[in-house]
Amino acid sequence: ATIESELWSALTKACLIFPPGEDIDQIDFNYKELDYSKCGRTDKGVSAFGQVIGLRLRSSKPLPKTAAQLEEEARKKAEALQEKQKQQQQDGQGDVSMQDAAVEQQQQQQQQPSPPPAPKPWDPIKDELPYCKTLNRLLPPDIRILAWCPSTPEGFSARFSCTERQYRYYFTQPAFAPAPEGITPPKGPSQPRKKKDAAPPPPPRPKVGYLDIDAMRAAAKKFEGLHDFRNFCKVDGGKQLTNFMRRMFEADIVEVDDV
């Protein structure tokens, strides 16, 4: 199973999306009404944290009323007011004269009905469906929805609107099981004896199996800045890419506690 397949299953079970066709188990994020986009793609066999997607979901926001609906509401209110006035006129015929009833009816017709109370403003956060809570109940424990955005800019794309990305790679220390104690790696060819005024010898190399953190940190710093990375990727001729310049803001090697 992939993250997209689990997400599709949760979205359809929660009735947050309504894919066309009868087979809703058939994963298809490409239908037009969904407006699906994703960011955080990784190489094959590599997982990613903090991926971003964009799509349209079912909402609890009330739809704006059409002109026909507003006219129908106004007509019903006018009919209700006329019926009320007619009933009041019939109830008062035995107590007042015809002249007084006519005056009262005229006054009631001139009196404007009080405007209805203004509708409560809709809050896009408090009044919206609890998307994170709903989906996290249906997703596996290792896939979580952390946040959502109520209103994105016009033409937003999770992929093409992305301005920067952050990558973290984890290495073990040592990189592989070191040689057992008492077994030393074979020595290289003998070196000629150096003069007294020669440069000091380089620092000792780490033991077999251990990473040279200082050398890795120095190499990582050389990636910072604007560089041409065409020789670091496999060029896909179908994409017609012409710009291989990328700016790397920070590159570093940081030791972390055991995880």
Side-chain angles (χ1 to χ4, degrees):
T2 62
I3 294 179
E4 279 191 335
S5 64
E6 296 290 351
L7 185 62
W8 176 273
S9 176
L11 290 170
T12 53
K13 287 181 180 178
C15 296
L16 294 178
I17 62 174
F18 303 92
E22 298 180 356
D23 187 8
I24 62 174
D25 294 331
Q26 182 66 31
I27 301 175
D28 182 16
F29 280 99
N30 297 322
Y31 67 93
K32 182 179 179 181
E33 292 78 8
L34 191 60
D35 196 15
Y36 178 72
S37 61
K38 59 184 177 181
C39 184
R41 302 188 310 166
T42 55
D43 296 332
K44 184 178 180 180
V46 180
S47 300
F49 291 97
Q51 302 187 65
V52 178
I53 64 172
L55 72 168
R56 297 182 181 274
L57 302 178
R58 176 171 62 90
S59 173
S60 63
K61 183 177 181 179
L63 295 174
K65 295 181 179 180
T66 62
Q69 290 175 332
L70 295 175
E71 291 178 0
E72 181 67 17
E73 288 184 359
R75 184 184 63 81
K76 290 182 178 180
K77 290 180 180 179
E79 291 178 354
L81 180 60
Q82 292 177 1
E83 184 66 24
K84 181 179 179 181
Q85 293 174 350
K86 183 178 179 181
Q87 185 66 32
Q88 290 177 351
Q89 181 181 358
Q90 292 176 355
D91 295 341
Q93 281 181 355
D95 300 328
V96 297
S97 62
M98 294 297 295
Q99 184 177 1
D100 294 339
V103 173
E104 184 179 357
Q105 182 180 5
Q106 185 178 4
Q107 291 177 352
Q108 290 178 353
Q109 290 177 353
Q110 293 177 354
Q111 184 180 3
Q112 296 294 334
S114 58
K120 181 182 177 182
W122 190 80
D123 191 301
I125 302 296
K126 296 180 180 179
D127 298 333
E128 188 54 276
L129 297 174
Y131 293 121
C132 297
K133 184 177 181 180
T134 301
L135 291 174
N136 286 336
R137 284 203 303 258
L138 300 172
L139 289 169
D142 56 345
I143 303 177
R144 298 286 89 181
I145 304 297
L146 302 181
W148 67 280
C149 179
S151 57
T152 56
E154 186 69 23
F156 172 80
S157 170
R159 179 183 178 187
F160 296 106
S161 299
C162 177
T163 57
E164 63 181 54
R165 298 179 182 177
Q166 184 182 69
Y167 295 87
R168 292 183 181 181
Y169 297 92
Y170 293 88
F171 306 90
T172 60
Q173 179 71 319
F176 56 89
E181 294 183 2
I183 301 179
T184 58
K187 296 182 179 180
S190 59
Q191 300 292 334
R193 183 176 298 179
K194 297 181 180 180
K195 299 180 180 179
K196 294 182 179 180
D197 57 348
R205 298 180 61 183
K207 297 180 181 180
V208 176
Y210 285 82
L211 300 174
D212 191 340
I213 302 298
D214 293 334
M216 294 173 63
R217 184 176 291 112
K221 289 298 179 182
K222 296 183 180 296
F223 282 94
E224 295 182 349
L226 185 64
H227 303 287
D228 189 331
F229 283 88
R230 74 181 68 210
N231 293 328
F232 284 82
C233 62
K234 182 179 179 181
V235 179
D236 187 353
K239 294 183 178 180
Q240 301 296 323
L241 296 178
T242 58
N243 182 16
F244 298 91
M245 303 296 292
R246 299 293 184 270
R247 183 180 300 278
M248 192 170 294
F249 296 100
E250 182 184 6
D252 199 2
I253 305 295
V254 180
E255 293 190 62
V256 297
D257 297 332
D258 294 339
V259 294

